[in-house]
């Protein structure tokens, strides 16, 4: 998997391509973004997917400002209520700007 870029303080649109993923026997796939690769670290962003398709997700300005340098993401699959890791941890690149959408 590749690094993803999130713009801080504004909305960021990301595309998650699960169109080739076989969901047979899998309840859902979960994208998790955390500030550190630790089970104890609270997720900043979590999104769930249930079909083999391309998904457009939006990271809100509020979510983005909670992210810190060194943030990572991964994908997990849920089978019979149990969560299994299905990817390596990958980097989140934060791009800081001068504008903001925080109200």
């Amino acid at each position: 998997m590749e690094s993803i870029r999130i713009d801080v303080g504004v909305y960021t649109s990301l595309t998650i391509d699960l169109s080739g993923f076989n969901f047979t026997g899998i309840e859902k796939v979960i994208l998790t973004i955390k500030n550190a690769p630790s089970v104890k670290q609270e997720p900043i962003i979590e999104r769930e997917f249930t079909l083999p398709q391309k998904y457009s997700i939006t990271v809100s300005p509020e979510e983005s400002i909670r992210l810190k340098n060194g943030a990572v993401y991964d994908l997990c699959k849920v089978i019979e209520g149990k969560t299994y890791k299905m990817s390596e941890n990958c980097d989140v690149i934060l791009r800081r700007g001068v504008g903001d959408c925080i109200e």
Side-chain angles (χ1 to χ4, degrees):
M1 292 188 354
E2 299 177 9
S3 297
I4 58 173
R5 188 196 81 237
I6 295 177
D7 297 322
V8 177
V10 297
Y11 292 95
T12 301
S13 179
L14 300 173
T15 300
I16 307 298
D17 187 359
L18 295 174
S19 59
F21 186 74
N22 182 357
F23 273 86
T24 303
I26 296 174
E27 297 166 33
K28 59 187 168 185
V29 171
I30 303 171
L31 165 73
T32 304
I33 301 177
K34 296 180 173 186
N35 281 326
S38 168
V39 176
K40 295 179 181 180
Q41 182 73 45
E42 174 188 340
I44 304 298
I45 300 167
E46 268 189 340
R47 301 291 192 275
E48 297 181 357
F49 313 104
T50 57
L51 298 170
Q53 64 187 33
K54 285 186 179 180
Y55 291 88
S56 270
I57 64 168
T58 301
V59 176
S60 72
E62 293 80 12
E63 290 171 319
S64 71
I65 62 171
R66 293 179 57 209
L67 293 171
K68 297 180 178 160
N69 290 333
V72 294
Y73 78 96
D74 71 358
L75 292 170
C76 293
K77 58 187 173 185
V78 178
I79 301 171
E80 297 180 4
K82 296 179 184 171
T83 304
Y84 299 90
K85 189 168 176 73
M86 58 182 267
S87 75
E88 295 298 321
N89 294 336
C90 296
D91 295 327
V92 174
I93 299 166
L94 301 177
R95 185 168 74 166
R96 301 191 186 278
V98 295
D100 72 68
C101 291
I102 307 295
E103 296 180 20

